[in-house]
Amino acid sequence: MPEGSYRFQVGSITCTVLSDGYYSYPAPWFFPNANPAELSQALESHHLPQDEVLSPYTCLLLETGRHVVLVDTGAGEYSRTTGAIQARLEMAGIRAGDVDTVILTHAHPDHIGGAIDLFGRPAFPNARYILSELEWEFWTGAHRDLSHLRVPEASKDAIHSMARRCLGPLRHQIEPVDRETEVVPGVVSIPAPGHTPGHLAVLISSGGHHLMNLGDAAVHPLHLEQPQWENGFDLAADCALLTRRRLMERAVSDDMHVMAFHFPFPSIGRASVKNAGWQWTPGW
Ligand SMILES: [Zn+2]
């Protein structure tokens, strides 16, 4: 596989993780309620920088034989270090027109920015776009409140304007979901609120094998080790922590592989119960 891609099987479903790029965030944005000394020690024990988190953006291509599904679209033109998804798809032998289903875990810029092209048109012209009904209502409605995000106001404004800019052109192709839904055979969207109101996880199952895509229910492996550590981009932190625990307990009890959009590339691995949280073991 070319650089930035990694292919594996979940039963008969061919899965390819595709790197859209990465972005660097100040560490406090990712761990706003962590005790600074404990955070410093945890970062040091993993040989990670103290001040910033280099966060990968990783999308997931699913080829079932009958369907071509893309889970999240990356950030598109949002920053100079992102926007590689179209090229990665081509390297994987997939043209934009081949994708028949796009699942948007939520409408943050790093997940939805690649859903429209440079001209503001849907980047996957033949796809239906699966999005939570709550997510659509939140970003397009009048009562949007981002005051609980623990990131600077400029970031909140950027998040808001990007969601509006992308959702408008997609409106005729969006297929809203409001409960656990089998999107195509073997691929199920799961309500996973907290990060955003309509945040979705995605469960891929075939032949007795499973992959749980957490979306942004955890954005760093330290969020599994320390499951009480919040993410500054979570709109409703309490709800997000409950969701993380619920998804992880399901993944561990059913012996699933786990994927998370922002975990170190290739963003897949396994988790096992350790202390009050989970230990992350990367790889397939
Ligand atoms: Zn994200």
Side-chain angles (χ1 to χ4, degrees):
M1 288 301 289
E3 196 182 340
S5 309
Y6 182 78
R7 185 167 279 171
F8 53 97
Q9 291 290 136
V10 175
S12 64
I13 299 177
T14 301
C15 305
T16 312
V17 286
L18 302 168
S19 169
D20 181 57
Y22 61 89
Y23 201 76
S24 176
Y25 299 88
W29 296 16
F30 262 42
F31 309 104
N33 72 331
N35 174 293
E38 287 177 21
L39 175 60
S40 172
Q41 193 180 27
L43 291 168
E44 190 176 321
S45 72
H46 288 277
H47 310 289
L48 292 168
Q50 289 286 319
D51 299 328
E52 60 174 6
V53 176
L54 193 63
S55 186
Y57 293 177
T58 311
C59 304
L60 177 64
L61 171 69
L62 305 171
E63 294 170 90
T64 72
R66 293 192 64 176
H67 293 280
V68 178
V69 181
L70 182 64
V71 183
D72 286 329
T73 64
E77 301 302 310
Y78 191 63
S79 83
R80 288 188 297 127
T81 51
T82 62
I85 279 305
Q86 291 285 356
R88 299 264 187 248
L89 284 169
E90 274 179 36
M91 286 190 277
I94 301 290
R95 290 164 304 176
D98 297 336
V99 176
D100 61 62
T101 308
V102 174
I103 302 175
L104 297 167
T105 59
H106 59 299
H108 278 175
D110 46 332
H111 300 256
I112 199 173
I116 60 169
D117 66 16
L118 277 176
F119 307 101
R121 301 171 307 203
F124 302 98
N126 301 322
R128 58 189 184 128
Y129 286 74
I130 306 297
L131 180 78
S132 155
E133 190 171 298
L134 284 172
E135 194 75 0
W136 172 265
E137 285 170 2
F138 179 76
W139 294 106
T140 59
H143 303 294
R144 208 175 32 260
D145 177 6
L146 300 182
S147 62
H148 292 294
L149 299 187
R150 283 156 293 173
V151 298
E153 291 302 319
S155 296
K156 296 179 194 177
D157 292 344
I159 287 170
H160 171 220
S161 64
M162 192 71 167
R164 302 279 289 209
R165 192 157 81 85
C166 294
L167 288 174
L170 299 178
R171 64 189 180 283
H172 299 300
Q173 285 166 252
I174 283 180
E175 201 174 294
V177 290
D178 65 355
R179 66 198 72 186
E180 201 159 306
T181 301
E182 187 164 57
V183 174
V184 304
V187 181
V188 172
S189 66
I190 301 172
H195 183 61
T196 61
H199 180 260
L200 299 173
V202 182
L203 176 60
I204 297 97
S205 303
S206 173
H209 299 280
H210 307 280
L211 172 67
M212 175 70 84
N213 183 338
L214 298 175
D216 278 7
V219 294
H220 194 284
L222 288 178
H223 285 128
L224 301 186
E225 275 183 34
Q226 306 284 347
Q228 76 283 11
W229 282 0
E230 298 165 0
N231 165 12
F233 288 95
D234 287 344
L235 192 72
D238 289 352
C239 179
L241 294 188
L242 286 173
T243 287
R244 186 190 300 165
R245 182 160 290 284
R246 180 169 53 84
L247 294 172
M248 287 304 298
E249 285 174 351
R250 185 166 169 182
V252 169
S253 72
D254 288 350
D255 196 28
M256 298 177 185
H257 276 88
V258 174
M259 172 179 176
F261 183 89
H262 292 286
F263 276 27
F265 190 81
S267 314
I268 46 174
R270 278 186 182 276
S272 51
V273 174
K274 185 180 180 188
N275 303 325
W278 302 273
Q279 178 166 343
W280 177 248
T281 305
W284 186 252

